Amino acid sequence: MSDEETRTIFFASSRPCTIARWWSKETVAIVTGANKGIGFELVKRLAELGLTVVLTARDDGRGLEAVRALKGEGLDVHFFCLDVSNSNSIKTFASWFQHTFGVLDILINNAAVSFNDLRENSVKHAETVIRTNFYGPKLLTEALLPLFRCSPFGSRVLNISSRLGMINKLENHKLKEILKDEENLSENQIEGMLNLFLQSVKNGTWKSYGWPQHWTDYSVSKLALNSYSKILAKQYKGNGISVNCFCPGFTQTSMTGGKGMHTADAVADVGAWLALLPMEKLQTGKFYVLESHNHSNHSKL
Ligand code: NDP
């Protein structure tokens, strides 16, 4: 997404409890990759706020363990196994979801992988990273699109993304121009970019192509996710579904080896707040960035 589309959020005013409650137990939310980290905390927060929440995880054991932990805190959530990198798993999940719930209000595409330590930049697992972080949310969203309720309160897709995938991280001018041209940008162009990236990884030229320099495969996957979100947002604008991205900032989870400026719990407060914005504040096609320090003491949303 281009820089002018970003919205900065500060911690202080970003709590769901500051929003007049429009949702009920009938409001259904799905969170992917929710057995730990930010996803787990998002499920917890949404369940505490009284929504019906489906916790998904790629591993049955880890997913059920997370559900047990929430049960221990008096929270009842639903569980289904979902590996977003596997199209059959997506199909099975979508069919179970349709059969069990029928309609969906909120989809939070949270699941993602990175195989690098903080200072590493290997692209050894580039294919898995692209398949999980880009094609996962894309294929899952497409499978669930027909099920969105599109009520007067609005249906929502929130893609948990990263500022590492902002267009300004690209040094390749031609690609930058293509991605910035939101009027004409197509899914084919995004997928073309990904094929080009994977090809440059295969033939060993990726370092000289102007891809983002930090966590390159992960950044390219999020770059693609951000761009796809813009296309989807445009497509569904005025049709009851908002599509936004949210970068939680450097957060203490497994992905960062436990390092970070803030906890997953604190991030979930803000993520849930974004997912639950009331209609008059709900936008689409935006990229929300969480800042760790609140110098101005108010949200710039
Ligand atoms: P974690 O590594 O703690 O959690 C990632 C989750 O995704 C895990 O539950 C993991 O499951 C799951 N997952 C991985 N692959 C798949 C798959 N194929 N199908 C289903 N689930 C899968 O990371 P975070 O909580 O930090 O990450 C959450 C989101 O936040 C991600 O989208 C990440 O890119 C984003 N983000 C995180 C930042 C940070 O600083 N932590 C910064 C910016 C963005 P399993 O336990 O089985 O591996």
Side-chain angles (χ1 to χ4, degrees):
M1 284 181 195
S2 48
D3 289 354
E4 62 273 19
E5 292 298 337
T6 63
R7 297 284 182 281
T8 306
I9 315 165
F10 296 100
F11 269 114
S13 57
S14 313
R15 295 186 66 86
C17 58
T18 61
I19 297 177
R21 187 186 170 106
W22 57 263
W23 59 91
S24 70
K25 193 71 188 160
E26 306 300 306
T27 310
V28 184
I30 296 170
V31 185
T32 65
N35 54 291
K36 66 179 179 184
I38 294 168
F40 175 79
E41 296 296 338
L42 276 166
V43 166
K44 186 173 165 191
R45 194 65 75 256
L46 293 172
E48 282 168 351
L49 288 163
L51 288 90
T52 291
V53 191
V54 182
L55 182 156
T56 69
R58 63 174 155 176
D59 179 88
D60 257 327
R62 290 195 285 272
L64 288 168
E65 187 53 46
V67 171
R68 249 193 306 278
L70 292 173
K71 277 221 164 85
E73 298 192 36
L75 297 169
D76 197 18
V77 302
H78 302 263
F79 172 70
F80 203 85
C81 193
L82 170 61
D83 179 344
V84 300
S85 68
N86 179 327
S87 56
N88 285 332
S89 178
I90 290 179
K91 269 192 211 130
T92 307
F93 172 74
S95 148
W96 168 82
F97 182 84
Q98 177 168 25
H99 183 72
T100 312
F101 295 95
V103 284
L104 172 63
D105 298 286
I106 300 172
L107 170 63
I108 304 188
N109 283 308
N110 166 80
V113 282
S114 166
F115 293 88
N116 282 304
D117 284 338
L118 286 182
R119 287 203 185 82
E120 264 182 340
N121 194 23
S122 156
V123 291
K124 205 166 131 201
H125 300 281
E127 264 190 57
T128 305
V129 171
I130 301 293
R131 193 169 60 247
T132 308
N133 300 3
F134 171 69
Y135 286 103
K138 179 178 189 289
L139 295 179
L140 180 64
T141 305
E142 286 168 2
L144 295 173
L145 273 171
L147 305 183
F148 276 109
R149 194 193 306 263
C150 301
S151 74
F153 300 114
S155 293
R156 296 119 195 269
V157 178
L158 187 63
N159 290 326
I160 309 299
S161 192
S162 169
R163 63 195 94 192
L164 292 178
M166 287 171 74
I167 294 173
N168 64 12
K169 298 286 189 280
L170 263 178
E171 282 165 20
N172 183 310
H173 292 293
K174 196 168 158 213
L175 282 177
K176 255 186 176 171
E177 290 315 307
I178 291 173
L179 295 180
K180 275 185 179 167
D181 182 8
E182 286 168 13
E183 271 307 300
N184 297 306
L185 183 64
S186 67
E187 288 179 35
N188 278 347
Q189 284 174 313
I190 297 173
E191 297 193 10
M193 174 185 79
L194 292 174
N195 291 339
L196 190 67
F197 171 64
L198 291 173
Q199 194 54 48
S200 73
V201 167
K202 262 195 193 126
N203 61 29
T205 58
W206 63 278
K207 279 194 179 153
S208 57
Y209 208 85
W211 301 110
Q213 291 186 357
H214 183 66
W215 278 19
T216 301
D217 51 7
Y218 175 89
S219 299
V220 171
S221 73
K222 297 293 191 180
L223 181 69
L225 180 62
N226 293 345
S227 298
Y228 171 66
S229 304
K230 291 290 275 190
I231 293 178
L232 205 60
K234 201 166 100 186
Q235 213 174 321
Y236 282 88
K237 196 168 181 163
N239 291 312
I241 306 178
S242 79
V243 184
N244 293 299
C245 290
F246 171 47
C247 170
F250 190 32
T251 309
Q252 296 149 13
T253 65
S254 312
M255 190 172 277
T256 60
K259 298 204 168 59
M261 303 293 283
H262 42 249
T263 61
D265 174 56
V267 163
D269 247 4
V270 183
W273 175 75
L274 274 178
L276 294 172
L277 282 172
M279 273 308 269
E280 65 275 14
K281 288 225 168 129
L282 187 64
Q283 301 192 45
T284 193
K286 302 294 179 232
F287 183 69
Y288 294 98
V289 173
L290 182 60
E291 288 296 339
S292 296
H293 300 295
N294 180 10
H295 297 303
S296 63
N297 210 33
H298 69 279
S299 167
K300 282 191 182 165
L301 190 64

